[in-house]
Amino acid sequence: MLPRAGSAGPFIRLLRQLNHPLIYVLLVAGAGALAFGEAVDASVIFGVVLVNMLVGFV
């Protein structure tokens, strides 16, 4: 019988959703929007990242 692979907890699974180059680009774009005072644009970008994390988690 094969040994059972250890599974990561839900928090680690959620954070693994951020491990993608496009997400890095979005996070930098959101930080840049905040730096330029564009709070609405930054919140939309961070919202997209959050929705992507939740959909990937589920």
Side-chain angles (χ1 to χ4, degrees):
M1 184 172 249
L2 293 174
R4 188 171 172 191
S7 63
F11 183 69
I12 298 299
R13 284 182 42 218
L14 185 66
L15 288 180
R16 284 184 183 164
Q17 301 304 315
L18 293 174
N19 193 15
H20 192 277
L22 183 59
I23 299 299
Y24 300 150
V25 170
L26 285 172
L27 291 174
V28 169
L34 275 178
F36 286 115
E38 299 291 336
V40 174
D41 292 341
S43 63
V44 169
I45 293 170
F46 291 136
V48 167
V49 171
L50 182 65
V51 168
N52 183 42
M53 278 179 56
L54 293 176
V55 168
F57 178 76
V58 172

